[in-house]
Amino acid sequence: MIIASSGEPSLKLSTKSRTKFKKTITTTAAATKTRIHCQDVQESDPTSYSAESIGSNQDLINLIFTKLEPKHRQRCAIICKFWYSVITSRTFKYKLPPLSHLLVRWSATQSRQRSIFPAIKYSIVPLHNHQTSNRPPPQTLFRPALDFLESNDQHVNGIRIIQSCNSLFLCSPDSSIKKLNKNGAEKNNGLFPNASNVEHYVYNPGTNKFRTIPWPAVRRKTTRQVIAMNLAFDPTKSPHYKVVSLSTVRNSCSSYNQVDIYSSEKWRWRATKAEFLPNWAHVDFTNGVFFNGGVHWASHTGNTSVYFDVENEHFKIMPMPPVQGGGQRRSIRYFGESGGRLLLIDSQEQSP
Amino acid sequence: MAAETGTPTTLTLKSNDDELFSVAESAAILSVTIRNMVEDGCAGGVIPLDNVDGKTLASVITYMNGISAIPADEEKKKSYRDKFLSDKDFETLADMVLAANYLNMSCLMDAVSAKIAQVMEKKSVGWVRRKFGIENDYTPEEEAAVKEEHKWTFEGVETDDDN
């Protein structure tokens, strides 16, 4: 139960109502009577005492804020300083909406396809819809997802989700399979085997729409090898997302590392002045996690790793937990964000 | 326990403007506040509810009766709540949040808060300030800065003529 505490900042009544009801704003019982006797002026002054009590009670107004979409909630910060402080406080208890859909990854094998690698497909299944009666047959609940490549590129065997970030996905075509099929031999080129050709997509599973993210520009006589490509999106802060690219640029005489940022506000890439930290060589850049304004990467060895502060555009040191079992190298089973925390699962199997 | 004999047990609730209401105990104990009184044996006579007026209490009792008549089917309960709140104006909803808070009825509080949020969604800053009786305590410079910071939240929202 929520009880109004006297320690909260009380809100002033608007000038008009203050002169009328100055004496009766202290207790609910007294105020309810006020409300009754002020009903005849309600036409010209629509403020109700109850609404005033709610607006000045941190717990009650917080409850209403949790029901508002993030965008509408953020707008309420303009109402007054007290609301601003509630909305922007670190203790704001934002409840995530319940999970609505499940993304299912499955492989489709077709007999006429010579490839030994089945195409990867995705479907979206709603988790709760519907009336108990008239429930449609289960198979019609599935709707295809991430199927936008199938029609325009037959060489692609599927799509790879690189990262899931606050309801958006960063994906790329699974071109490693394509390359393997064509040449008949595996090339170990890391995450982005054919970097200059691989496109990236930002995909919204809610709308089934995607946008192609172009490749960051390369100057003449230089090559670019991408180290990491990650999405940074926090709908409670901004409706725009950013794609962060870490790459090594080489020309005939030198090579250097560079961070570029693509913003959905401007629809273009921009090189940053961010400098890589000395410990970056030990960092595993294949799995970036956007959390608390930064893209974080874990490290298999050592007691530090790095994250990239997207707002301020520089790298910072991230401490790593001790290696399990006293060994030298972590065996990372999971690295991700959940419920406002960064989680790392390191499971070290003891060798006999 | 309740002094009345026979089943079902009926409780008498009194609003702060001295209106009396009879309600089945099975419906009234949706309020944790009332349930505690019943369990403590202090619900024998009239239960005074000092923070709820007659008009709001009548609405809450309609809700108690309606929702307790529905068997354990969350979807039907939800659609009852939606229908129950659909014709309530902002002032009534505000009264109900305070009543639900005082009576400790979390399901009603949740539903009414969500309804208020829905009403507020497209409303202008001036409307929200008027309805909640909030005086703008920003200086014009501060307000301009906060508005600039939250510019993106204004798409599709009513604008103030008087603001």
Side-chain angles (χ1 to χ4, degrees):
Chain A
M1 183 167 180
I2 297 168
I3 294 164
S5 75
S6 55
E8 284 155 8
S10 63
L11 291 179
K12 291 174 197 160
L13 289 168
S14 61
T15 327
K16 217 172 15 168
S17 55
R18 190 166 46 202
T19 49
K20 281 175 193 158
F21 312 122
K22 204 174 177 180
K23 289 174 192 162
T24 52
I25 55 167
T26 41
T27 70
T28 313
T32 314
K33 282 170 197 141
T34 312
R35 197 185 60 75
I36 294 162
H37 100 86
C38 75
Q39 264 170 353
D40 51 313
V41 292
Q42 216 160 7
E43 288 302 309
S44 57
D45 186 358
T47 302
S48 80
Y49 176 77
S50 296
E52 277 177 32
S53 305
I54 294 165
S56 57
N57 180 311
Q58 178 156 358
D59 292 323
L60 291 175
I61 200 64
N62 208 46
L63 179 66
I64 291 172
F65 289 157
T66 60
K67 311 288 181 189
L68 280 166
E69 299 268 319
K71 177 173 135 176
H72 297 304
R73 181 173 60 242
Q74 289 295 316
R75 198 176 62 251
C76 285
I78 299 157
I79 302 297
C80 65
K81 289 180 180 173
F82 174 56
W83 283 25
Y84 183 97
S85 72
V86 174
I87 289 164
T88 54
S89 84
R90 281 179 171 271
T91 55
F92 180 75
K93 298 181 195 87
Y94 174 58
K95 278 191 219 156
L96 287 168
L99 285 182
S100 61
H101 293 79
L102 196 64
L103 185 76
V104 181
R105 183 177 185 268
W106 50 288
S107 57
T109 33
Q110 289 168 326
S111 52
R112 59 189 167 85
Q113 200 173 358
R114 266 183 293 164
S115 163
I116 53 164
F117 296 96
I120 302 299
K121 306 231 178 207
Y122 296 89
S123 296
I124 284 182
V125 198
L127 284 178
H128 45 76
N129 35 342
H130 27 260
Q131 316 298 325
T132 358
S133 55
N134 275 342
R135 189 181 289 245
Q139 62 272 26
T140 63
L141 290 175
F142 281 74
R143 81 172 153 79
L146 288 154
D147 56 346
F148 51 84
L149 284 184
E150 287 175 8
S151 52
N152 58 18
D153 190 348
Q154 325 163 346
H155 298 294
V156 174
N157 255 14
I159 199 153
R160 180 214 305 261
I161 298 175
I162 297 169
Q163 187 193 353
S164 160
C165 180
N166 290 322
S167 80
L168 291 180
F169 287 133
L170 181 69
C171 329
S172 71
D174 210 342
S175 56
S176 55
I177 292 171
K178 167 190 162 189
K179 213 172 168 68
L180 181 83
N181 288 346
K182 248 175 147 179
N183 303 345
E186 189 170 358
K187 286 193 173 178
N188 186 15
N189 284 348
L191 180 59
F192 299 97
N194 194 7
S196 56
N197 294 328
V198 175
E199 280 177 324
H200 286 78
Y201 309 94
V202 171
Y203 174 71
N204 182 342
T207 57
N208 202 26
K209 285 185 177 157
F210 72 99
R211 177 173 273 269
T212 306
I213 306 298
W215 201 244
V218 182
R219 287 210 194 93
R220 288 185 72 186
K221 295 189 178 169
T222 61
T223 59
R224 182 193 283 269
Q225 189 188 5
V226 163
I227 301 163
M229 187 76 99
N230 286 104
L231 191 58
F233 176 54
D234 182 352
T236 64
K237 300 271 168 61
S238 161
H240 299 289
Y241 60 81
K242 288 175 176 171
V243 181
V244 178
S245 143
L246 276 56
S247 53
T248 303
V249 180
R250 286 191 182 83
N251 57 31
S252 52
C253 51
S254 70
S255 78
Y256 55 94
N257 296 321
Q258 185 172 313
V259 178
D260 297 78
I261 293 182
Y262 182 88
S263 150
S264 73
E265 200 168 10
K266 304 263 171 69
W267 302 122
R268 62 161 189 263
W269 285 100
R270 180 174 53 78
T272 70
K273 296 192 170 111
E275 285 183 18
F276 279 45
L277 295 175
N279 67 336
W280 77 279
H282 301 289
V283 176
D284 171 17
F285 285 106
T286 55
N287 177 28
V289 177
F290 182 67
F291 162 75
N292 199 19
V295 181
H296 296 67
W297 297 273
S299 167
H300 284 292
T301 58
N303 50 15
T304 60
S305 189
V306 295
Y307 71 94
F308 184 73
D309 180 335
V310 179
E311 181 71 35
N312 298 309
E313 301 184 357
H314 53 75
F315 285 98
K316 287 181 179 167
I317 294 282
M318 174 176 76
M320 289 293 291
V323 179
Q324 286 300 302
Q328 290 293 307
R329 194 179 163 78
R330 291 180 189 84
S331 174
I332 297 173
R333 305 302 166 110
Y334 176 80
F335 180 57
E337 184 265 338
S338 175
R341 291 194 171 143
L342 208 49
L343 302 180
L344 177 92
I345 298 176
D346 171 13
S347 119
Q348 202 67 49
E349 279 169 27
Q350 298 286 333
S351 47
Chain B
M1 289 304 288
E4 282 97 320
T5 50
T7 50
T9 314
T10 306
L11 302 178
T12 304
L13 310 180
K14 189 172 86 170
S15 67
N16 66 2
D17 45 359
D18 296 334
E19 273 190 71
L20 296 176
F21 298 87
S22 283
V23 55
E25 185 186 295
S26 57
I29 58 170
L30 280 173
S31 150
V32 176
T33 308
I34 295 175
R35 190 170 71 206
N36 289 342
M37 287 180 177
V38 171
E39 282 169 2
D40 294 345
C42 9
V46 172
I47 301 176
L49 300 171
D50 293 340
N51 286 356
V52 190
D53 65 29
K55 178 174 160 268
T56 309
L57 188 54
S59 263
V60 171
I61 289 170
T62 307
Y63 172 80
M64 284 172 162
N65 288 330
I67 205 89
S68 60
I70 298 167
D73 182 336
E74 205 30 62
E75 285 190 13
K76 281 187 184 147
K77 288 192 181 202
K78 188 187 175 300
S79 74
Y80 175 80
R81 275 193 282 268
D82 289 348
K83 191 160 168 277
F84 174 74
L85 295 174
S86 63
D87 60 343
K88 302 279 185 285
D89 62 16
F90 182 83
E91 285 72 24
T92 309
L93 292 171
D95 291 342
M96 291 190 77
V97 167
L98 290 190
N101 181 36
Y102 171 68
L103 294 169
N104 201 350
M105 296 173 69
S106 58
C107 67
L108 181 61
M109 223 167 127
D110 247 32
V112 180
S113 309
K115 180 73 184 177
I116 290 180
Q118 189 196 335
V119 172
M120 285 167 67
E121 212 155 75
K122 295 276 168 66
K123 298 296 185 190
S124 68
V125 169
W127 186 94
V128 175
R129 280 188 190 137
R130 276 196 302 282
K131 286 288 182 184
F132 284 92
I134 294 171
E135 191 177 331
N136 179 10
D137 57 356
Y138 288 115
T139 65
E141 295 78 33
E142 284 170 343
E143 187 172 5
V146 181
K147 270 195 169 155
E148 181 61 30
E149 188 189 336
H150 295 88
K151 207 162 70 182
W152 63 275
T153 65
F154 275 87
E155 282 164 26
V157 170
E158 289 175 1
T159 52
D160 287 309
D161 298 329
D162 57 337
N163 229 30

